[in-house]
Amino acid sequence: MSDVDEADRGVRYQHMSHWGMFEAQVSDGEVVAVHPYSGDSDPSPALGNIAGSIRNKARITGPAVRRGWLENGPGPSSARGSDEFVSVDWEELTERLSGELRRVIDTYGNSAIFGGSYGWASAGRFHHAQSQVHRFLNSLGGYTRSVHSYSLGATGVIMPRVVGTHWKLFARSTSWKVIAEHTELLVCFGGVPLKNTGVNHGGTSDHPTRGALDALRRRGGCIVSFSPLRDDLHGAAERHAPVPGTDVAIMLALAYVLATEGLHDTAFLASHCVGYDRFEEYLLGRSDGVPKSPAWAEQISGIAADELVVLARRMAASRTMVTVTWSLQRVRHGEQAPWMGVTLAAMLGQVGLPGGGFGHGYGSMNEPGLAPVPYPLPTLPQGLNPVPDFIPVAAVSDMLLNPGAPFDYDGQRLSYPDIRMLYWAGGNPFHHHQDLGRLRRALARPETIVVHEPYWTPMARHADIVVPSTTSLERDDISCTRNDPLLVAMHAAVRPYADARDDYDTFSALARRLGVGEKFTEGRSSQQWLEHLYEQWRGFVRADGGPAPIFDDFWTDGQVRMRTEDDLVLFGDFRADPATYPLATPSGRIEIFSADIDSFGYADCAGHPRWYEPEEWLGGDRAQQYPLHLIANQPRSRLHSQLDHGATSRESKIKGREPLRIHPDDAAARGVVAGDVVRVYNDRGSCLAGVVVDDGVRRGVVQLSTGAWYDPLDPTDPESLCVHGNPNVLTADVGSSSLSRGCTGQHVLVQIERYLDELPPIRAFDPPTITSRSARGPVKWS
Ligand SMILES: Nc1nc2c(c(=O)[nH]1)N[C@H]1C(S)=C(S)[C@@H](COP(=O)(O)OP(=O)(O)OC[C@H]3O[C@@H](n4cnc5c(=O)[nH]c(N)nc54)[C@H](O)[C@@H]3O)O[C@H]1N2
Ligand SMILES: Nc1nc2c(c(=O)[nH]1)N[C@H]1C(S)=C(S)[C@@H](COP(=O)(O)OP(=O)(O)OC[C@H]3O[C@@H](n4cnc5c(=O)[nH]c(N)nc54)[C@H](O)[C@@H]3O)O[C@H]1N2
Ligand SMILES: [Mo]
């Protein structure tokens, strides 16, 4: 395969990351420069984080075991996160880890292992860490899993009930090409932030969003943005900065104007939808005495009523698409914004028309708007998991803290399993989860925590058994996604660093030790798996008459171009012929009213979209104490917490802290100027951040992206100040609703003050203390 010895001769290695395709230039075992793929019209700045990432000081150089675990054996421990580590060799690691897996399974059963292992890991279909860990645990008899994602916790539950799918909303969305050609009015709730379209799960060879928005504007199309941040829609003709969390009230008011002025499409509502009448009772205030008028919405959102009236009329008179970013469902009552967005689009009657209707996730990720390929992906099969237990993904702390406790989820009453072992590969709960103090107390509960990681992330520091993984640049792989025309050879650029191993090799060795080697590997090496997955995929392409070279030619050429469906219109077939192409809902239609959801009787999710007042918003009592609404959105400078130590991410920091944007008036009221370090706090926790003053931020709102590595001033204290700026020390660990229990990390109320003490150093990227046995004498094993 790739000859990494070519490295020093200026050879460039083609590779793929979640934030784009590139060529890596290598010297002395390190990537020294990265060149975006020549076919990419708008490469992501996050590529700037890759150079220097292989031999970084934050790399895990070899297997390690937490000293307390080694000395005392498995068991709950609040020393996780502050204990030191003992380095062990691969032989000992394999023996101890396989022994512990055997013990937990024999003593408590497979459901005692939580293997949900949420996270993005790296691009590449075969070495995909979640697929690897799930396949491994399945070959041992299964594990407690998690469902849905931090990205789309509420959408993943509500949209299948409303439109019969959630993934088709992104993977088969109306293409940018069609929008650029047909849309007259693009009304965007949450904007279309270009910073996010750099990223796509599994990779991407092009970034067309900026070009498509420009083309739409050149054609005379008009873009309207609702967002508390001005730069969420670069170049919008009309901007509204609502109180965060009030978009549903705004959409209701637009719907109210349509209904009361007779501008709604009653024929479409009758032929393609169910339950409009029930919803209209609420909309007009017949069921609760509160008409959802523009004046009502103005009180809640701060958007002038007359502007909403004018906009609603324009929407009815134009080819209009209503889009809702994913951020709007990563909040309490997160179901309501996408549900109300579809309802508004249904009232306009343009669902399924070119350039009209509904979109969800334009500007959230690169995928929406990209043309799909018609073939299945060459993914590693994960096997079958016979364990029935599962949790909604963001209930991980709840589960660990409350074994046996009942919880509601999607109409079911379930209970949390009793977890003894946590197995994580390819994710960082200290990035993705809320209320990190609570998470730390939850992580003290299991008997053993295993983490596979290339880097000493905060999650690796909380592990008992630390397994060093390679990064994707250290191995050959194949990249392919459902909405990119290229199947791409990811050529290894450097040899594995220090004592790091591919997750596949670690799992193969463990599987052999546990007597399931053949089941896990099917007798294939990594190289043979790549060829096997490629051949399977090639079969689909050939059956379709497409070009499909043999593996060796693909590997040498580096890519295969596939056919794509370029003129896709979301739900176009359903619109044209609802009897032949019904939606996969109980009625086959858009469910503006869902009898099933209504029957669950949830206080926080009724049978039709409605406005719920959230706990964390500027209009509520809590804002008296914590008067700033913090938006914890996706970082511009990186993907999540990945390569936070990279150049682009580091350059964005202020005195080493994550930047926090604040309106000039709010800064002045606190005596804060640009470049200051502030303490951001509420009753859950506190962190430091570096101030950027920006009048593009709504008054009363501050923005602090996720992704700074959690860096506690006092690692023994779960509620410690994070000196680096991780907003999840502040966010509430509450679910979106009883229906979905999705992540609600996007919004939180805070207060801010200037930080006057001496600035503590950033230690997040320094490895923990690692001793060898000889340094402290032999370690007992109980
Ligand atoms: N407050 C707040 N919190 C949020 C959000 C929010 O909007 N607000 N957004 C949420 C969303 S949408 C998401 S998707 C999550 C993201 O949360 P995560 O997906 O957990 O975050 P990542 O930083 O991508 O973590 C991936 C980890 O995998 C590691 N890794 C990379 N390659 C490999 C490999 O080959 N093997 C192994 N073993 N590991 C590897 C990386 O080093 C990294 O530590 O965060 C969520 N959290
Ligand atoms: N650069 C970069 N891109 C990414 C990621 C990353 O880590 N880095 N992560 C990727 C992942 S995993 C996902 S799931 C997607 C997430 O996609 P999203 O969840 O859509 O992304 P966010 O940036 O969190 O939020 C988008 C915008 O919504 C706005 N917003 C927040 N609250 C409100 C509100 O109440 N009303 C209105 N109208 N607007 C609001 C914010 O200003 C924010 O900039 O992003 C993906 N793209
Ligand atoms: Mo996500």
Side-chain angles (χ1 to χ4, degrees), residues 62-132:
V65 180
R66 187 172 66 78
R67 180 167 287 279
W69 192 92
L70 208 50
E71 291 179 345
N72 309 321
S77 173
S78 53
R80 290 191 182 113
S82 58
D83 209 351
E84 61 182 41
F85 289 86
V86 177
S87 65
V88 298
D89 62 21
W90 275 106
E91 175 57 28
E92 182 175 352
L93 180 114
T94 309
E95 189 186 319
R96 289 201 184 277
L97 179 46
S98 58
E100 179 59 2
L101 280 158
R102 187 78 281 148
R103 182 189 75 86
V104 171
I105 292 171
D106 289 350
T107 316
Y108 306 109
N110 283 74
S111 69
I113 302 177
F114 182 66
S117 188
Y118 181 78
W120 267 55
S122 41
R125 285 294 153 194
F126 172 69
H127 291 287
H128 179 239
Q130 273 73 45
S131 307
Q132 292 284 348

Side-chain angles (χ1 to χ4, degrees), residues 154-164 274 278 334-336 339-340 409-412 585-586 590-610 612 737-740:
T155 282
V157 179
I158 188 68
M159 292 324 262
R161 294 187 172 280
V162 175
V163 292
V274 292
R278 279 292 283 272
E335 296 82 7
Q336 305 305 319
W339 198 356
M340 188 56 217
Y409 172 71
D410 199 17
Q412 305 167 64
T585 56
I590 298 171
E591 302 225 336
I592 294 173
F593 177 82
S594 162
D596 286 339
I597 295 176
D598 184 59
S599 76
F600 301 154
Y602 293 142
D604 51 5
C605 191
H608 59 74
R610 47 158 289 179
Y612 292 92
S737 73
S738 312
L739 185 83
S740 59

